[in-house]
Amino acid sequence: MTKIKCLNPIANIGLDLFTDNYEMTDNFDEADAVLVRSAVMHDMEMPASLKAIARAGAGVNNIPLEDCAKKGIVVFNTPGANANGVKELVLAGMFLASRDIIGSNKWVADNKDDENIAKTAEKAKKNFAGTELAGKKLGVIGLGAIGVKVANAATHLGMEVLGYDPYISIAGAWNLSRNVKHISNVEDIYKECDFITIHVPLLDSTKGMINEEAISMMKDGAVVLNYARDILVDEEAMGKALKAGKIKHYMTDFANPTVADMEGAIVTTHIGASTEESEDNCAVMAVNEVMDFIENGNVKNSVNYPNVDMGIPSKAGRVTIMHKNIPNMVSQFTAVFASENINISEMTDKSKGEFAYMILDLDTPASASCIENLEKLEGVIKVRVIK
Ligand SMILES: NC(=O)c1ccc[n+]([C@@H]2O[C@H](COP(=O)([O-])OP(=O)(O)OC[C@H]3O[C@@H](n4cnc5c(N)ncnc54)[C@H](O)[C@@H]3O)[C@@H](O)[C@H]2O)c1
């Protein structure tokens, strides 16, 4: 029986996928796999039984990735599972920046005791006039899971969309609407667009990418949307640009002391992925990743081990080996199987940084002595017999 521990509430639509071979446990120390959202795991002593941690979400800074890799614990996340939730919030951000829904609604609340509010509202409405999105230019920086969805949706709103991503994946390119103009110089977005939205990961190369220089190139009255990470934007420079009227609105999902009271900033509380559907999608993806790893040894969407997928085992035996990414490992593994006359029918070995993962399909099941000999090899972290 495989024991699953949830460190945070995980949506039932995901947990219901576990078959009778799995049971939930309250005891972390006996868990084979852990499902987690925001619980901080850095100070937790990982039990020897633990094989996998799945984060229902994208960010994994609450998990000690390298430590887990050294102990042979695969850490998964659920990339793209919340992309639609974020996309819809970005669209809402564009609408809120164009139509003064917030100001208009506040006026109604402020005038709630006015018996003639129906009439006075008609007079007040001119103060809350806006503009439409159709016909405006949107620049999308980063065409991954979220950026592609935002770009495609905006084309259906009648916007002209420019996309920039020098590292676009094949999936990203396939999914991108052909109505999105793929540009190769991000400055074209700064100079031409009425709305600019960023969907890049936080890296040394992207930190502060929307800086004073980038803002100075933007059209007067441009709107900047940041539903990715706050420090991608130089928010001091953004505050000055808002005050000067250079930027009309800064839409951000990251409340912090700099933007909380910033004139022209419309700030939310990191709610991009806070939808029932995103949480359901993350739970389903996390549970499927854990089950595929436990039952078949396949690794998909890991952040500390390479992705290796050999499907469902069809041969007599399957063994997986987590090992250090150092010379001469594979030849030693094959020698162990050869010494017992076990034929390897198929194998895949991939590395990610210091760590590597191998799946071997065998024509006869691996013997206990074979597994013992593999475990003895210098550089081997964990050996599992799947079949
Ligand atoms: N607000 C929220 O609640 C919320 C939720 C989920 C994700 N996010 C943020 O959104 C970001 C994007 O998420 P995603 O799922 O689309 O990620 P993703 O990995 O699918 O896409 C990121 C894209 O950015 C591109 N990129 C990297 N460096 C670039 C650069 N310098 N210029 C242009 N493009 C570059 C990559 O090639 C990739 O296509 C995440 O990193 C995360 O910080 C926020």
Side-chain angles (χ1 to χ4, degrees):
M1 193 65 84
T2 301
K3 293 192 163 62
I4 307 291
K5 165 77 184 158
C6 293
L7 291 178
N8 297 104
I10 301 293
N12 281 336
I13 191 168
L15 298 181
D16 289 348
L17 296 172
F18 282 122
T19 57
D20 292 346
N21 298 327
Y22 296 82
E23 68 181 12
M24 307 310 288
T25 176
D26 288 334
N27 184 0
F28 179 67
D29 292 331
E30 62 169 18
D32 293 289
V34 161
L35 298 170
V36 60
R37 282 166 60 183
S38 56
V40 177
M41 298 186 71
H42 288 282
D43 294 332
M44 292 181 170
E45 187 61 44
M46 304 295 167
S49 56
L50 194 58
K51 299 169 187 67
I53 297 171
R55 156 90 167 100
V60 283
N61 52 3
N62 54 328
I63 304 167
L65 301 183
E66 186 165 345
D67 224 45
C68 286
K70 282 182 185 158
K71 291 178 175 145
I73 301 165
V74 183
V75 180
F76 298 96
N77 71 348
T78 57
N82 50 24
N84 194 63
V86 182
K87 173 202 86 180
E88 290 190 5
L89 191 67
V90 174
L91 297 178
M94 291 204 289
F95 285 118
L96 289 177
S98 305
R99 308 294 294 270
D100 195 359
I101 298 165
I102 295 175
S104 173
N105 179 248
K106 184 172 180 308
W107 182 92
V108 174
D110 290 346
N111 290 274
K112 65 180 189 313
D113 298 328
D114 178 359
E115 280 179 8
N116 292 319
I117 190 164
K119 268 191 185 154
T120 47
E122 286 301 321
K123 281 188 193 152
K125 73 179 182 187
K126 61 179 180 299
N127 299 317
F128 308 110
T131 52
E132 298 182 18
L133 293 179
K136 302 293 183 306
K137 253 188 200 179
L138 168 68
V140 182
I141 302 174
L143 295 166
I146 298 169
V148 165
K149 283 188 187 297
V150 169
N152 291 353
T155 66
H156 294 292
L157 295 171
M159 300 184 87
E160 193 181 329
V161 185
L162 273 58
Y164 170 77
D165 188 336
Y167 321 105
I168 191 167
S169 67
I170 294 170
W174 270 109
N175 290 329
L176 192 65
S177 158
R178 63 191 182 87
N179 294 323
V180 175
K181 190 173 164 198
H182 195 200
I183 60 152
S184 53
N185 186 350
V186 72
E187 290 185 5
D188 291 344
I189 283 187
Y190 298 151
K191 288 178 192 160
E192 289 182 33
C193 290
D194 307 292
F195 294 81
I196 296 170
T197 184
I198 40 173
H199 300 288
V200 299
L202 179 61
L203 306 167
D204 284 344
S205 58
T206 57
K207 195 171 161 188
M209 69 185 289
I210 306 293
N211 54 19
E212 201 172 343
E213 197 191 344
I215 293 170
S216 72
M217 284 184 240
M218 292 179 191
K219 284 171 77 170
D220 288 347
V223 170
V224 176
L225 301 109
N226 178 8
Y227 291 87
R229 282 292 174 265
D230 54 358
I231 55 179
L232 294 168
V233 174
D234 176 347
E235 292 184 330
E236 299 287 343
M238 184 58 72
K240 283 185 200 155
L242 286 164
K243 212 165 203 163
K246 166 83 185 160
I247 298 296
K248 183 183 171 198
H249 281 301
Y250 174 51
M251 316 299 294
T252 172
D253 200 16
F254 306 98
N256 64 39
T258 311
V259 296
D261 197 25
M262 189 180 272
E263 194 185 321
I266 298 180
V267 189
T268 42
T269 50
H270 199 175
I271 53 172
S274 299
T275 66
E276 275 175 32
E277 293 84 351
S278 286
E279 286 172 13
D280 285 357
N281 289 343
C282 288
V284 167
M285 202 187 243
V287 168
N288 280 328
E289 288 163 353
V290 166
M291 288 172 68
D292 197 17
F293 179 64
I294 296 290
E295 292 169 26
N296 304 316
N298 294 323
V299 173
K300 200 171 169 199
N301 296 326
S302 171
V303 285
N304 66 346
Y305 269 91
N307 290 333
V308 182
D309 187 345
M310 296 233 317
I312 296 167
S314 58
K315 298 290 170 180
R318 175 173 286 185
V319 168
T320 67
I321 308 172
M322 301 167 111
H323 63 95
K324 289 192 182 152
N325 184 19
I326 52 176
N328 199 30
M329 297 298 317
V330 176
S331 59
Q332 293 185 80
F333 300 155
T334 53
V336 168
F337 290 106
S339 71
E340 297 214 11
N341 208 25
I342 296 172
N343 188 47
I344 299 167
S345 67
E346 205 178 328
M347 63 182 192
T348 309
D349 188 66
K350 286 192 183 159
S351 63
K352 182 171 187 144
E354 289 174 39
F355 302 96
Y357 186 62
M358 184 176 227
I359 301 181
L360 300 109
D361 278 349
L362 311 167
D363 284 341
T364 40
S367 60
S369 62
C370 191
I371 300 303
E372 252 172 53
N373 288 334
L374 288 169
E375 283 171 340
K376 273 188 217 151
L377 295 171
E378 178 88 31
V380 167
I381 298 169
K382 195 180 271 182
V383 182
R384 280 177 67 213
V385 178
I386 303 292
K387 187 179 175 190

